[in-house]
Amino acid sequence: MNQSQLRVTVWNEGVHEALNDPPGMAEYYPGGIHGALAEALHEQLPGATVRTALLDDPGHGLDEEVLAATDVLLWWGHKAHDRVADEVVDRVQRHVLGGMGLLVLHSGHFSKIFTRLMGTTCSLFWRNNAERELVWTVDPTHPIAEGVPNPIVIPEQETYGEHFDIPAPDELVFISGFSGGEVFRSGATFHRGKGRIFYFSPGDERYPVYHHPQVRRVLGNGVRWAARPGVPREQPRVANAPQDWFA
């Protein structure tokens, strides 16, 4: 794949940034979480087109034109899942089923789009005590794990733990262990329609995780894996075949 032709959209609520919550966030994410993610993708995918969109943009920045020109959409949300318009969720779902890639990050597990695509609550166990996270690769042959050390060591991060109420992943790439003893399926892939979905949990607003070079490597790998730029953007559909179609 020629990554210089990739078109990526990074979506973020922008609520934590607007509220300066937590107070130190502006120091390590001066351009917002979306800015840090976009920077990471520019670094990992030289030449790719990367745009950002926010909740308060018209149509949440995800109108038909934007989605049609997006190979992979990254989704970061936390405080305002309920403010995302259902019509936008419908639109994003339609594009994912038609072949657009989707990376859902951290607390985006509770987003409307992820819970809809999973068909489950996506609930989990959590605690935020700045504990160390070790991200272990359990499928070293997967493209998303390419060049990633085993484990990735994240000094401080929000703790996520099982049970994580998601369907059995099509591929489990990473499992995390935390210094408090919890384990979590932190990197998992799913296929919906023609679209590829990657959920990756590291990346809380309280810690500069998206500056971690190996987390950035995973994000770049995830975009490469999820992108299907040559696939016509249309949903799978029912078609009637005549009896002698093979003659």
Side-chain angles (χ1 to χ4, degrees):
M1 179 189 303
N2 185 349
Q3 64 188 32
S4 66
Q5 298 176 352
L6 286 178
R7 304 164 301 172
V8 185
T9 298
V10 176
W11 190 89
N12 176 26
E13 290 176 354
V15 173
H16 283 284
E17 292 85 349
L19 297 175
N20 193 29
D21 174 31
M25 183 179 181
E27 296 180 16
Y28 45 83
Y29 289 133
I33 288 176
H34 52 290
L37 291 169
E39 178 185 79
L41 295 179
H42 280 300
E43 171 190 288
Q44 295 294 318
L45 306 168
T49 300
V50 182
R51 73 176 83 196
T52 61
L54 297 171
L55 178 70
D56 287 339
D57 292 342
H60 305 331
L62 299 174
D63 60 22
E64 185 67 32
E65 182 178 358
V66 167
L67 293 176
T70 297
D71 295 311
V72 180
L73 172 65
L74 279 72
W75 192 283
W76 198 99
H78 182 209
K79 294 176 71 72
H81 298 310
D82 60 338
R83 288 176 54 193
V84 177
D86 289 340
E87 64 185 43
V88 174
V89 178
D90 293 342
R91 190 180 305 139
V92 172
Q93 180 187 25
R94 176 165 49 79
H95 277 271
V96 171
L97 296 178
M100 182 181 72
L102 178 66
L103 268 62
V104 177
L105 305 176
H106 194 55
S107 46
H109 68 90
F110 267 150
S111 63
K112 286 183 177 181
I113 184 59
F114 192 62
T115 56
R116 180 183 292 185
L117 288 166
M118 296 299 103
T120 57
T121 68
C122 300
S123 297
L124 46 74
F125 172 92
W126 69 275
R127 178 178 62 249
N128 208 334
N129 287 344
E131 295 172 81
R132 187 191 67 182
E133 178 179 3
L134 300 180
V135 183
W136 294 95
T137 299
V138 294
D139 185 357
T141 68
H142 199 284
I144 295 177
E146 183 179 351
V148 176
N150 192 20
I152 299 172
V153 180
I154 301 176
E156 293 183 329
Q157 168 65 1
E158 181 178 20
T159 296
Y160 277 5
E162 297 290 342
H163 174 61
F164 186 19
D165 184 27
I166 54 174
D170 291 318
E171 300 149 316
L172 184 60
V173 186
F174 303 111
I175 291 178
S176 287
F178 294 85
S179 53
E182 288 75 20
V183 296
F184 186 72
R185 289 169 289 169
S186 54
T189 73
F190 306 87
H191 295 77
R192 295 292 184 270
K194 296 181 180 179
R196 295 176 176 178
I197 302 167
F198 176 49
Y199 173 75
F200 189 56
S201 65
D204 187 72
E205 70 279 358
R206 295 180 180 273
Y207 315 105
V209 176
Y210 291 128
H211 295 299
H212 193 300
Q214 301 307 329
V215 169
R216 289 182 168 216
R217 177 81 181 225
V218 171
L219 295 174
N221 287 350
V223 169
R224 290 189 195 94
W225 172 81
R228 307 190 70 198
V231 175
R233 188 66 59 82
E234 59 181 23
Q235 298 182 69
R237 57 188 177 86
V238 174
N240 180 263
Q243 184 174 359
D244 297 329
W245 62 272
F246 57 86

